[in-house]
Amino acid sequence: MKRPGLMLSLYRAMSPLLVRTVPVAARFSPKLQQGVKGRRDIMDRLLGQADRLRGGVWFHVTSVGEYEQARPVIEAVKARHPDLPVAVTHFSPSGYDFALKRPCADLHDYLPFDHPGDMRTLMAAWQPRLLVFVKFDLWPNLVLAADQQDVPLCLVAGSLAPSSARLHPVARPMYRDLFNRFAQLGVCTEDDRRRFVEDLQVTCPVTVAGDTRVEQVILRYEAAQDGPIAEHLKKLSGRLLILGSTWPPDENLWLPVLQELLAATPDLRLVLTPHEPATERLEALEKELASQDIPGVRLSRFLEQDASADHPARVILVDSIGHLAEIYRSGHLAYVGGSFTTGVHNTMEPAVARMPVLFGPRISNAEEAGVLVKRQAGWVVTRPEEALARARELLDNPQALAAAGQEARQVVLDQRGATVRSMELIQPFLK
């Protein structure tokens, strides 16, 4: 094991204290509180699984998006090495809950908080032949434990955004030190590779393997082909603007200009899909639509009705989760939420459905959103007037709308094969 540098040594020395402060911080964060609760007796649970997991492959993911990136690779590992045990640890409660409903490994559980003693103990008990991190969730004591015990480390679907804290002058030496302990870094794009090599200045092998989530996106798109929701929406005729996975700031971008947009585009309807369709949020949106005399209907009610070109609703308000990929199949233009808060949500799902994609300003978390912008298949809109102008520009020119939609789909298809390329990086360690 290479001796840790100054910043990494400081982190390792301070981490036991940091772990002890987590329950205190959890009092102010329901999500962190849920994570603390989920980790009760975590070491006993994980060590109790050592006999059946020893010598297998260990994947670590942060949340839902990273798990979606890991799934195709895990499925490929299981297909090629059916007797090899696979464990997946999760950091966030939402990612853990999501995975429990869609398991793909022999074990799904939380990762213990990053205490050096716990990580060494767990690594010694499991003795994995490979530890795989996905995208960017890197826990220093876990990396050091693997390196100390000669467990190879790989990264798949790696991403390093220009705004990443890992590139801050204070943090950069520690992350360079960590990543240089990896056997392989598989990254999503050439820009990611350049930032790892030129900006972070890592010296380990860095390969552009692509974003493995693409295969999941394409599979979901194909599986939704004959879905009842998409078919029902298509019976409305006309065109659909899909507002996908929205938060209040996203809705505030469109609601002030919605009346004008619908009046200017008589064949247009809106499908509004809140990220969290809680009852109070749906009621607030219904109240706002009513104040503008815009007829709307909840999706659950709409599916019970006859759908036709003369259906009175101009807005379909989605009141359940898990249907967005299917809804996108019926659309013509999409806006993806999240980019006024933590960062834009999944832009590949509408893109593979041949839709130009609009979003707010925070897109550095999603490399594909930047690619959509570069290829004039996606646009950033930050004010209601801007959203109205861009939507009308596209909707008033069907040829431009179709061309941009086809280019958006091509952005996704160009990433195909990422799972195969990622498997080529980790296969030498699976023998």
Side-chain angles (χ1 to χ4, degrees), residues 174-300:
M174 185 178 83
Y175 283 100
R176 182 188 308 125
D177 191 349
L178 288 168
F179 280 115
N180 276 338
R181 297 168 193 272
F182 278 62
Q184 290 282 351
L185 301 183
V187 301
C188 289
T189 69
E190 175 59 29
D191 286 340
D192 288 312
R193 189 204 66 79
R194 180 186 56 75
R195 283 189 284 269
F196 271 104
V197 173
E198 297 179 12
D199 299 344
L200 196 59
Q201 296 182 328
V202 300
T203 55
C204 65
V206 185
T207 303
V208 179
D211 190 342
T212 52
R213 189 176 33 152
V214 166
E215 272 81 10
Q216 291 292 103
V217 168
I218 294 171
L219 284 173
R220 278 198 300 272
Y221 173 77
E222 292 171 349
Q225 183 169 358
D226 299 316
I229 296 175
E231 289 304 309
H232 211 65
L233 288 169
K234 288 175 182 177
K235 291 177 183 176
L236 292 171
S237 72
R239 292 176 293 177
L240 296 177
L241 167 60
I242 314 295
L243 305 190
S245 201
T246 60
W247 296 89
D250 301 300
E251 293 145 12
N252 293 338
L253 180 72
W254 291 94
L255 289 172
V257 295
L258 186 54
Q259 209 172 34
E260 184 177 349
L261 177 62
L262 293 174
T265 320
D267 73 321
L268 184 69
R269 300 177 200 262
L270 189 82
V271 181
L272 175 52
T273 310
H275 186 76
E276 295 179 348
T279 300
E280 60 272 16
R281 185 76 205 126
L282 296 170
E283 290 174 350
L285 289 167
E286 287 171 328
K287 185 176 180 181
E288 175 61 29
L289 293 174
S291 73
Q292 297 189 42
D293 293 322
I294 299 173
V297 63
R298 293 194 187 191
L299 178 66
S300 57

Side-chain angles (χ1 to χ4, degrees), residues 14-23 113-116 118:
M14 293 175 60
S15 55
L17 176 61
L18 294 173
V19 169
R20 286 197 293 271
T21 65
V22 171
F113 291 119
D114 197 36
H115 190 287
D118 287 347

Side-chain angles (χ1 to χ4, degrees), residues 308-347:
S308 62
D310 58 358
H311 193 286
R314 298 296 300 275
V315 175
I316 313 296
L317 187 57
V318 179
D319 53 354
S320 55
I321 61 174
H323 307 300
L324 196 49
E326 183 179 346
I327 290 168
Y328 281 139
R329 280 199 73 99
S330 61
H332 299 80
L333 176 64
Y335 170 88
V336 176
S339 50
F340 283 94
T341 51
T342 56
V344 68
H345 294 304
N346 191 341
T347 59

